[in-house]
Every structure is written in C-alpha cells, then in structure tokens.
Amino acid sequence: MSVDYYAVLEINRNATDADIKKSYRRLSLKYHPSSNRGPGSADKFNELAEAYDVLSDPRKKATYDKFGEEGLKGGIPAEFGENGAWTSGYVYHGNPEKIFRKFFGGDNPFADFYSKDGNEVAIGYNCLQGRGGKTHDSPIERDLQLALDDLFHGCTKKIKISRRVMNEDGYTSSIRDKILTIVVKPGWNEGTRITFPKEGDQGPNSIPSDIVFIVRQKCHPWFVRQNNDLLFTAQISLGMALTGFSLDIDTLDGRILNVPVNDIVHPKYTKVVTGEGMPLAKDPSQRGNLIISFDTTFPQKLSAERKHLIKQALAF
C-alpha cells in the first residue's frame, strides 16, 4: 500500500514550503516519544520524519508528485532522469531523531523547554503535546529618562528598538527595527511603568517578551520633586530673613512667580504656595504645592559699630 506523505503531514498537495515546515513542527512535537508514549506514537513519529524528508527536498518532492512512492523509491525511467540512466531510488534512512534534530537545530531540540539550571519549566511537555502553549520570556525592562519639564507638561517619545522577528517559513528569523511611541502624561511619577506586550525577540518555541519602560526623572537645576510637590531652596541674607523680602521664582510653565515673605525666616521656616506644584496624574487640572525652604547666609565679620547697632535693634 503506497504512502500519502501529504496525508501523513495533514496538508494538501498545494501546500507551500512554509506549510510543510509548520505542520512537521506541530506534529513532530506532538508525537515525539519523549512526550507521547501512546500506542502507535513511535510509528507516527517515524512516518512524519520520512514524509518531511521527502516533501522538504525539492527534487524528491517533484519526483514523488509526478511518479508517486513507487517512482520515488524504485527510480524513474531514463527519459526523465539524468545522463541517460535510471535515477537511483530514494531510501529512507529510518532515523526520525536525525530529521527532528536537524529541523530544530542542535543536539537538544528540547532546550527551550528547560530553565538555565537544567530544571524543567512549569509548562513541561504540554507544549510538545499541543495543549499548553509556548514559554513566555521574561519582561525586558529599560529606563526611560525624562526631564522634569516633560513630566510637568507631558510629551511624546519615540524609541527605536531592534528585535528578532520570525520569517514566514516559521523557523528562520531576521533582525528588524520598530518604532515604539510613548505618550507621557502630565504628572507621571518616577517608577511609572509603560508596557508594550510581546514586542521582544520572537522564537519558534516562545512567546515574545513584553518590553517595559520605567520612568526615571532627571535632576532639575532648581526644583526637587517630592510626590506631587515641588521643593525650592532660596538663598537669602540675614537681613532679608529678619526684615522680609519678595522672591521671584521661574516656574515650569514659563511664568515668574512673585512670593512675598513677611515672616521672620528662622532655620526651620518654610513657605508653602498652594497649587504651584506638579500636576496630579489622575487629574492634571489639580496640582500639588510649591514648598520653599531658605538657606540664610550669615556675615563672616562684623565691626564693633555694627555689632552695637544690631544689639540695639534686637533689644527692642
């Protein structure tokens, strides 16, 4: 009884080379003796290897398509052969593991199903039996450095990544570039995570990693962020601390904020300006506070006359 190699691989005669490879991958993993010890699985695994060995080779496939199994294995007449002689018949070597290992590459085609320490991963042989899906690679995390101005106003960042992508044949791959767009919302905090699902390297036996960008805030020349508040330190003289003054601060939205200070500025004194901090991520119309602390500069020397005048002033 002749063998229908197309039926063995569960494909039709119009199947492409990619279809042949895809079907062999699926069925060989399903019926591999390491994962399927059911009755007839070893014979099925062997039949799959022979069918793939023939249909994946253009010359063998062409001979089989025209002359069937008899012509393939018995040789074909001179007028169809080369050098005026009968072609030698095809003989299957009978080693399905050889076909399997050549297809998946390396001496251990099941390497993708094990962790780095050699232990079997949680999905086990469910992948091989077609029940459990593929392994999911760990997320790839990258820092996204943003200026305080970007986090105040919001912005759009475009990041080019290079990743390995599977080709149409299902088992080779190539490196391709892709642009990922991140829309930064006003008020985002340090540590905000932006996830792009399955944008990592692709592989035949794995689900691509998620790519995760983590917001990292760059230092600002004069503001320090504390949650939704902005901290600002003003340099003042001792005379200003005792007698009052007016402070001009350049804001992140391009204004000059005038802050009068009429209190005596003692070492623990702070001035809070409501609503002049960072936008709230959940409601950018609301803002935190601006908290001003002061660094008072003391004179290095005082003449006897000035000391006397200061004593008189403070005596009241």
Side-chain angles (χ1 to χ4, degrees), residues 140-298:
I140 300 171
E141 297 184 349
R142 294 289 182 268
D143 288 345
L144 177 64
Q145 299 288 342
L146 294 173
L148 186 60
D149 298 75
D150 294 332
L151 294 170
F152 182 89
H153 296 284
C155 62
T156 298
K157 297 290 184 180
K158 294 184 180 294
I159 300 173
K160 184 172 78 170
I161 63 170
S162 297
R163 60 175 187 154
R164 187 170 295 280
V165 177
M166 296 302 298
N167 297 326
E168 291 184 359
D169 60 19
Y171 73 102
T172 62
S173 61
S174 56
I175 301 297
R176 299 180 190 174
D177 292 337
K178 183 172 183 177
I179 302 296
L180 301 179
T181 301
I182 300 175
V183 179
V184 178
K185 301 294 180 64
W188 271 7
N189 289 287
E190 172 103 5
T192 297
R193 299 168 69 89
I194 308 99
T195 301
F196 290 88
K198 302 179 183 178
E199 289 290 357
D201 290 339
Q202 297 178 357
N205 299 315
S206 63
I207 298 171
S209 302
D210 295 341
I211 295 182
V212 182
F213 291 96
I214 304 173
V215 171
R216 301 300 180 200
Q217 181 182 293
K218 298 179 183 179
C219 292
H220 191 271
W222 57 85
F223 289 123
V224 174
R225 183 177 182 178
Q226 187 178 78
N227 298 320
N228 295 316
D229 296 332
L230 291 175
L231 310 184
F232 179 83
T233 300
Q235 301 288 333
I236 62 172
S237 67
L238 178 59
M240 294 168 66
L242 296 174
T243 61
F245 55 95
S246 183
L247 189 65
D248 288 338
I249 301 174
D250 292 328
T251 65
L252 292 173
D253 54 1
R255 296 176 293 118
I256 296 179
L257 184 66
N258 183 266
V259 182
V261 180
N262 298 314
D263 301 320
I264 293 177
V265 178
H266 54 77
K268 295 183 179 180
Y269 178 83
T270 58
K271 179 79 173 181
V272 178
V273 184
T274 304
E276 290 291 348
M278 292 292 291
L280 276 59
K282 294 183 178 179
D283 182 6
S285 66
Q286 302 293 317
R287 291 172 59 175
N289 299 324
L290 172 63
I291 302 175
I292 306 171
S293 59
F294 300 90
D295 184 5
T296 303
T297 302
F298 285 77

